[in-house]
Amino acid sequence: MRKRLSVLLVSVLALSACGSGGDTADTDTAAASCAPSSGPVTLTYTTWIPGIEKVVKAWNDKNPNIQVKVQTGPNGNGGTYANFFNQLKAGNTPDLGHIEYDALPSFRVQDGLFDVAQCDIVAKAKDQFIPWTWNQVSFGDAKSAWGVPQDSGPMALFYRADLFEKNGIAIPKTWDEYAAAAEKVKAAGGYITNFSQSDINQFAGFAWQAGGRWFANDGQQWTVNLTDDKTKKVADYWQNLISKKLVSTVPPWTTEWDNAYNSSSAWTWVSAVWGANSIMSGAPKTEGKWRVAPMPQWDAGSTVAGNWGGSATAVFKNSKHPYEAAQFALWLNTSEEALALLNQEAQLYPATTAGTKLPFLANPVKFYGDQKIYEIFAQAATQVTPDFTWGPTMTSTYANASDGFKAAVSGNGTLSDALAAAQKQTVETLKSQAIPVKE
Amino acid sequence: MTTAVKAAKPTAVKAAKATAIKQRTLPMLVMAVFTVYFLTPIWWLFVGASKSSEQFTSTNPLWFADFDLFTNISDLVAYREGVFLRWLLNSVLYTGGAALLGTLLAAMCGYALAKYRFRGRELIFNVVLSGVLVPATALALPLFLIFSKVDATNTFWSVFLPSLVNPFGVYLARIYATASVPDELLEAARIDGSGEVRTFFKVSTRLMFPALVTIFLFHFVAVWNNFLLPLIMLSDERLFPVTLGLYTWNTQVNQIPELRGLVIVGALLSITPLVVAFLLLQRFWRNGLGAGAVK
């Protein structure tokens, strides 16, 4: 079934990119198997991970016959994904590319990726990965993998232990308690958190935790469901906090936003593991005052976490050396040496089970009052529900939803309205790209 | 009668003076408002670049805290083995080279169109002129596909060659050549035995000089600020111009928040060459604009 979909899409693409039909057929046969190349090979790898050169150098020093050349650019949505698509059209993609989980389906739909599960080394390594991260690259199909999972963003609650203690507020374990705490925090002159108005990914993490399932693909067509009951519950919950002005709403990743945390105006942040570093550098005045607790739950006593972020190392279909590329991608994302370097240089949090237990993640962190915060995230990493699927046009879905979110935050409409609008626009986008979608 | 005139005169002068002041105040006010409007972001940038990252978020964005500009600059230059300096150098090469060569090409082309009569002259001119209407951004993707065909993407030339083209410069050069190079002078040069090329360089370019400076400046700014072409063409960091490099860093601020400070200092340094070019060349530029306007 899946094959039929891709064949259909390939022909659509061949029609639109005139004259490239022959090329597509050639690469189809070339990339059908995962055989080792003979002789030394050079691979190109495009990524925007800061400090990746050091990691790649470690590989190059040990593998004189498989040399990797790093190429770089802005982050995915900042231009590198657009470049990948252009390069697919021109037939000169790099061998390997850094692709976030939420963008992977769009490359799959355009038939740009090599199925690395065809390489026995990758198929064998499957069990090393945390199951839900593997699902992010296999899209639920046991026989395929459209990349090797690289990192993940399990979510937890960052909170200002000092302020909660001083005001006698208990650390919320459920979302109900969180809303109740929000009232008390407001009374004490703060905001419980800042609602990330234009960064829809955080909201996606909340919906993921609550059991929302935005996209599904049965092999023939996509289903879009941005307004399922679970997602609606989350939207109504945050809408309530916004309407009551219990949360601040400055745009994320700005200096005002840093300042909201630095000046102790925002008391918690439900964020991913990499958020630890954002607070550290954005709010240096609050050193020693933050702690981490598990994410608040919808049902008391349950243990479900959301995920925010994470990416895969994908092998492009045009690669002439898929076996070696897969070999490198595996080393990059499973070897202790590479995982340690990636974490040190770019705060990437491993997607493998063994990776989350590596010694450098067991250390107490000074900024968090010497709490061993990564133990909380290691636990959260195992509690992320496995069957959340991203859609094939996330860039435009995000843009659509975030327009409505911004309006809702300034008092025009609600988050639910925004999601309903994004639902409609996403279905239209899929249709306009000739991607089969269920109405 | 005479007394009346005498009495009336001073008030008339006063009134004229008053209207003159009024007439001057309003434009001055408008200009003052615009000056503030245009300079505020630059002021903000300068102030921001002089702060440590901690003070950047916590102090007044339009006034100084501790003056750390030089520490910030040395941090920037030291970051990732000085890749920023490499980007600046690349920008100077792309921009300076393309603006110089592009100006020469535009001048020759415009001059030829103005001073020689040949078949298809107007057609060529109109085709070139229609090029002014096509935005550079619309051409970036087709250029990428063309360069892909000859395996020349991700090279110096993939950015440099397309940057040479400047249809607006051709237009300006033609207008200026028509206005400032008299046919009689060319005739005299020919009679004296000067070849066409020599006449162009020794006589015509001198007359067209203010125009050439204008073209150069326009071209310089356009290439310096051209962002989409390098974004699409280049994936080797060592080839990036400074605009693309800073943008790349800016998209990584989520992951590496320290980069924000470097981006701000880098932005300040990256506009400095433009400011310098304008201050040095504006004298010529003004002359050029004036000459074109009168004739």
Side-chain angles (χ1 to χ4, degrees), chain B residues 238-251:
Chain B
R238 309 288 293 170
L239 293 173
F240 284 5
V242 70
T243 41
L244 179 57
L246 287 177
Y247 173 76
T248 303
W249 279 357
N250 199 35
T251 65

Side-chain angles (χ1 to χ4, degrees), chain A residues 349-363:
Chain A
Y349 189 75
T352 58
T353 312
T356 60
K357 293 176 186 142
L358 287 172
F360 60 86
L361 290 173
N363 297 333

Side-chain angles (χ1 to χ4, degrees), chain B residues 96-109:
Chain B
L100 273 177
L101 261 178
T103 305
L104 179 68
L105 290 176
M108 287 173 140
C109 186

Side-chain angles (χ1 to χ4, degrees), chain B residues 122-134:
Chain B
E122 289 311 310
L123 181 71
I124 291 175
F125 182 63
N126 288 334
V127 169
V128 171
L129 204 56
S130 63
V132 176
L133 300 176
V134 183

